[in-house]
Amino acid sequence: MTSNPLSNQPSNSKLWQPNRALSKSVETGVKTLFALFAFVSVITTIGIVLTLIFETVEFFQEVSIWRFLTDTQWTPLFTNQQFGIMVLISATLLTSVIAIAVALPLGLLAAICLSEYAPAKLRKWLKPALEVLAGVPTVVFGYFALFTVTPFLQTFIPGMQGFNALSAGLVLGVSIIPLVASLSEDALYSVPRSLREGAYALGSTKRETIISVVLPAALSGIVASFILAISRAIGETMILTIAAGQNPQLGFNPLVPIQTMTAYIVQVSKGDTPAGSLAYKTIFAVGMTLFLITLTLNIFSYWFVRRFREKYE
Amino acid sequence: MTKSNTEFTNLSDSGVNPNFDLAINKRYNLDKVFAIATWVATSFALLVLVILLIDVLTDGLGRLNWSFVTSFSSRRASSAGVLAPLVGTIWLLVITALISFPLGVGAGIFLEEYATDNWFTRLIEINIANLAAVPSIIYGLLGLQVFVRVMEPITRGRSILAGALTLSLLILPIIIITTRESLRAVPDSLRQAGFALGANRWQIIREQIFPIALPGILTGTILSLSRAIGETAPLIVVGAVGFITFLPQLSFKGLQSSFTALPIQIFDWVSRPQVEFHQNAAAGIVVLMIVLMLMNSTAIFLRNKFQQSR
């Protein structure tokens, strides 16, 4: 491609002469520039990791890791400071478990419905409708949890407080149904028809085909969507800040106010905590914990998908 | 011995193996239950969406009028409005788009058109997949440390610019991914035709591939921007405030002023104890949803136009 018979022509030729040197340098310039743009994503990751490590290390110079992991109270903003991260982790775990108990079964069933049962015309409408649900800002879900779901649940659950993990977790679950449904549906839809027909030929009913052939074939994609949903539930902030309260408390009672890791970060960010103070550093330590949890999930998902991916021609 | 004998007799009696129970009616009934369960799950998700929308509308419509859109925040709920957050949202939207669109599209073009399979591209790819799953509040911490503190001389601390930069990094992975998907959808024959005419890769991308992929890229970008506009947590961490009674100047100085946005204002109102402010929050949500719907319908319009033309 670079060899160019035209360039040997005399310069007074009437023939059009492309400026090869210029276009070549433009090509190189563009390529380098765009490679740098792509590198911005790597810089972002480095930035996140450095930011978190830098402040976390400073935090652990003042508070021992042992105290961080074993204290049973979380009171960094009081004079009697205690730093039991388990308090925040237990709350995050509680809301995530509630959310996942809602989102995984419903999301998977919705995915099966979209991929296997819904007629093509209806599917064309259902998928965008679910995308609308996915596009609702989480602050709106928070409003919904606090002012609609909680009063509704309070009518038949006595002793339920205004801020609680249950309604926040339920609404959080609903908010991630579209994520599970959409990603799992992609995985189910890409399972080739021949596999289903093979199962029918052996005398399976539709449900048996779906459960024993289609679901296992799409397993890696489904698990990937589950893990993404779990990591979304753990990292979700606004629903939990608004509806679950700001009350750090160790335990798994879903009817009382609690405080998740993310809600704590918001609480401190909203106040006037001076940069460099211990309270300021705690949000980075909490952020680091959150980041490590989601990173672990991510790596597991990556490994799982590579290990169990089924390839069809 | 006797056991196998009886099995044999049973088999000859009914013609089927007794260990194999066909029970076709029972299985079909289970099938029906299962099918109904999948429909219920789907309708449940949509039902919640409908209830949520109706709920917000009934709470908010009464409060929503023109003066609500054109007034600043106030300590009195009845005279508070969403002018500053609405303008702040639009500022964030424009600046975030200006930063993230070129970066994301450039990176997408590099990865899809130029990159060969080597350690550098693989690093970037794994990295982008990872970034897409990092909780948004972590981006807030990044923005707080890098854009608010380290780059303070440029951004002047907790400013619109710092917020927009944070949101840009947040949606960058999504824009890169959608750009790559749109480019991949362009048939390879077009590229080969370009090469056959003696064009180099950049000329082919600029003149042929990019214009065809553009509607798809724009759709993805608008959708990711509408996600950014709904984000609250990273902006709170970066330092958005819930009470602002001025509009930023149309200049670089304006970029350095403190800021608010619709979700921030809604959160601020939700967290107050008075019921009147909760009504304001609902009305604010209606305004936010209208902004989002405008953006989403633009994206759908682009997508449809794109699909028809091919």
Side-chain angles (χ1 to χ4, degrees), chain A residues 23 27 34-35 37 41-42 45 47 51 55 113 126 143 147-148 203 205-208 242 280 287 298 302, chain B residues 27 31 34 42 46 55 59 103 106-107 110 120 126-127 130-131 138 142 145 149 200-202 270 278 282 292:
Chain A
S23 53
E27 166 101 358
F34 285 0
F37 286 179
S41 76
V42 179
T45 309
T51 299
E55 295 286 336
C113 178
L126 283 176
Y143 175 93
F147 296 127
T148 310
T205 65
K206 189 159 191 174
R207 170 188 55 91
E208 287 160 352
I242 293 173
Y280 180 83
N298 244 351
Y302 197 75
Chain B
R27 287 161 64 201
D31 264 41
F34 185 71
T42 314
L46 296 177
D55 185 52
D59 289 356
L103 275 181
F110 174 79
F120 179 70
I126 295 175
N127 189 53
N130 264 323
L131 277 182
I138 303 277
L142 172 74
Q145 198 71 339
R149 292 193 64 197
N200 66 24
R201 205 173 264 280
W202 171 238
V270 165
H278 301 165
L292 290 181

Side-chain angles (χ1 to χ4, degrees), chain A residues 23 139-140 153 176 274 287:
Chain A
S23 53
V139 67
V140 179
L153 291 177
I176 53 180

Side-chain angles (χ1 to χ4, degrees), chain A residues 18-257:
Chain A
N19 192 341
R20 302 265 175 200
L22 179 68
S23 53
K24 205 164 182 183
S25 54
V26 168
E27 166 101 358
T28 320
V30 164
K31 190 178 167 181
T32 319
L33 184 68
F34 285 0
L36 281 178
F37 286 179
F39 200 65
V40 168
S41 76
V42 179
I43 298 174
T44 308
T45 309
I46 297 172
I48 289 175
V49 172
L50 285 185
T51 299
L52 294 176
I53 286 181
F54 184 71
E55 295 286 336
T56 309
V57 165
E58 286 200 356
F59 172 78
F60 282 125
Q61 277 166 358
E62 294 182 48
V63 179
S64 72
I65 295 187
W66 181 247
R67 273 185 67 197
F68 189 64
L69 293 175
T70 56
D71 271 2
T72 53
Q73 277 185 315
W74 177 262
T75 53
L77 304 178
F78 299 160
T79 40
N80 167 33
Q81 289 179 316
Q82 301 245 41
F83 301 95
I85 187 71
M86 285 306 158
V87 176
L88 301 185
I89 290 182
S90 76
T92 301
L93 215 65
L94 175 62
T95 50
S96 302
V97 166
I98 297 171
I100 285 156
V102 173
L104 296 197
L106 287 179
L108 185 58
L109 283 173
I112 292 171
C113 178
L114 286 176
S115 151
E116 310 291 321
Y117 287 103
K121 270 188 182 168
L122 192 60
R123 183 171 174 268
K124 251 172 110 177
W125 282 101
L126 283 176
K127 258 201 128 170
L130 280 176
E131 277 168 24
V132 173
L133 186 65
V136 173
T138 49
V139 67
V140 179
F141 278 115
Y143 175 93
F144 183 63
L146 182 60
F147 296 127
T148 310
V149 177
T150 298
F152 172 69
L153 291 177
Q154 274 172 333
T155 55
F156 53 87
I157 303 180
M160 187 181 203
Q161 303 200 19
F163 297 107
N164 60 76
L166 183 61
S167 64
L170 290 176
V171 173
L172 173 58
V174 169
S175 79
I176 53 180
I177 287 177
L179 177 84
V180 180
S182 167
L183 291 178
S184 300
E185 202 258 359
D186 290 342
L188 293 171
Y189 204 69
S190 63
V191 173
R193 232 189 129 65
S194 57
L195 273 149
R196 294 186 180 85
E197 276 159 4
Y200 288 137
L202 290 172
S204 309
T205 65
K206 189 159 191 174
R207 170 188 55 91
E208 287 160 352
T209 304
I210 292 168
I211 288 177
S212 48
V213 175
V214 181
L215 284 183
L219 186 69
S220 69
I222 293 173
V223 170
S225 83
F226 281 7
I227 293 174
L228 195 59
I230 294 171
S231 105
R232 181 71 61 84
I234 292 172
E236 161 51 35
T237 311
M238 293 323 293
I239 302 175
L240 301 166
T241 310
I242 293 173
Q246 317 256 308
N247 181 25
Q249 196 173 332
L250 193 62
F252 294 96
N253 182 355
L255 302 180
V256 298

Side-chain angles (χ1 to χ4, degrees), chain B residues 153-171:
Chain B
I154 305 170
T155 59
R156 291 274 163 258
R158 302 165 176 269
S159 62
I160 301 182
L161 191 56
L165 283 166
T166 309
L167 289 182
S168 304
L169 290 187
L170 179 67
I171 61 171

